[in-house]
Amino acid sequence: MKRIGVLISGGGTNLQAMIDKQGSVIKSGKIVCVCSNSQDAYGLERAKRAGIPTKVIRKNADCGGDTEEFSRRICAYMKEMQVDIIVLAGFMAIFGGELLREYSNRIINIHPSLIPSFCGKGMYGLHVHEAALSYGVKVTGATTHFVNEVVDGGKIIMQKAVYVEEGDTPETLQRRVMEQAEWNILPETVEKVCAALDGKE
Ligand code: GAR
């Protein structure tokens, strides 16, 4: 059983999808902690409700805006909780070298588009769906990938396509991408990576 640490910044619906699928889809891992870079993240409530330990580490207020210090502190917490794999579930901050080195090939991110479209710096949350609509694509989706030093540039693990519909707003498109893609491929990806680390594949 692999120990999973989740990093969040906001609503935490992807965290909820993982919590709900523990034991059914996610069988080779267990969420052991949730860390947020914002104390207002609703995802913290979701974690508490599920009995999962939480911690808040803020880049500015706790680390003087220093990316390396921020990264060191997250890394220290993950190690303290004996985390094997880290999942970024709507985590909107960039971190630095230490975490990447310590958890190389063990950090997963979910991005709300079909990478390499609409990704990279500044492309997060609703901005991604605004960009997809303003470009006029008819198909978008979500991607899970390993995290490396290139923003949204690590090896792709899973993707799922979602149709754009007439009259979509960034909000309606975001919701459909979550429902049809993100909440499915993230738990499936987590299971795949945990099982592989467990030597089952
Ligand atoms: C999700 O759509 C996730 O894919 C996206 O933020 C949202 C978080 O929602 N992540 C990124 O844009 C990362 N670049 P949630 O907090 O409800 O899971």
Side-chain angles (χ1 to χ4, degrees):
M1 203 57 138
K2 293 293 152 195
R3 295 174 63 84
I4 304 163
V6 183
L7 302 188
I8 60 163
S9 297
T13 63
N14 279 289
L15 166 66
Q16 189 68 56
M18 289 187 284
I19 292 171
D20 293 345
K21 291 185 176 179
Q22 288 197 114
S24 53
V25 175
I26 304 177
K27 289 179 288 210
S28 308
K30 179 178 186 287
I31 301 171
V32 296
C33 64
V34 170
C35 180
S36 172
N37 68 329
S38 156
Q39 60 189 1
D40 303 323
Y42 182 67
L44 290 169
E45 297 306 316
R46 297 178 188 275
K48 285 176 193 156
R49 234 190 281 144
I52 301 166
T54 61
K55 190 171 181 80
V56 174
I57 302 175
R58 297 162 301 177
K59 197 177 209 160
N60 289 328
D62 300 321
C63 309
D66 181 350
T67 303
E68 288 304 322
E69 176 62 13
F70 180 59
S71 164
R72 257 197 303 280
R73 290 223 202 167
I74 296 173
C75 196
Y77 180 58
M78 293 294 134
K79 284 184 157 176
E80 180 194 327
M81 300 307 282
Q82 297 172 5
V83 162
D84 299 304
I85 83 159
I86 298 175
V87 180
L88 311 187
F91 186 64
M92 307 303 188
I94 305 267
F95 48 73
E98 172 157 348
L99 199 59
L100 287 175
R101 279 192 302 278
E102 289 291 325
Y103 283 93
S104 158
N105 288 317
R106 287 169 182 241
I107 310 178
I108 295 163
N109 182 41
I110 176 107
H111 184 77
S113 74
L114 295 174
I115 288 176
S117 289
F118 313 116
C119 63
K121 220 162 175 244
M123 281 290 175
Y124 58 87
L126 267 186
H127 297 305
V128 180
H129 304 292
E130 280 160 9
L133 288 176
S134 90
Y135 196 95
V137 293
K138 301 300 174 201
V139 177
T140 183
T143 303
T144 56
H145 63 92
F146 286 110
V147 173
N148 64 11
E149 58 293 331
V150 181
V151 180
D152 299 325
K155 190 172 184 284
I156 289 173
I157 307 167
M158 292 183 87
Q159 290 190 304
K160 182 142 191 248
V162 173
Y163 285 113
V164 176
E165 289 179 7
E166 205 77 88
D168 259 339
T169 62
E171 289 80 8
T172 60
L173 186 56
Q174 178 182 54
R175 182 77 192 178
R176 191 172 327 102
V177 168
M178 284 175 159
E179 283 175 356
Q180 295 185 5
E182 297 187 50
W183 300 340
N184 295 316
I185 67 169
L186 186 58
E188 287 168 11
T189 297
V190 169
E191 172 56 20
K192 195 175 156 121
V193 172
C194 287
L197 283 176
D198 249 352
K200 286 186 192 161
E201 274 183 4

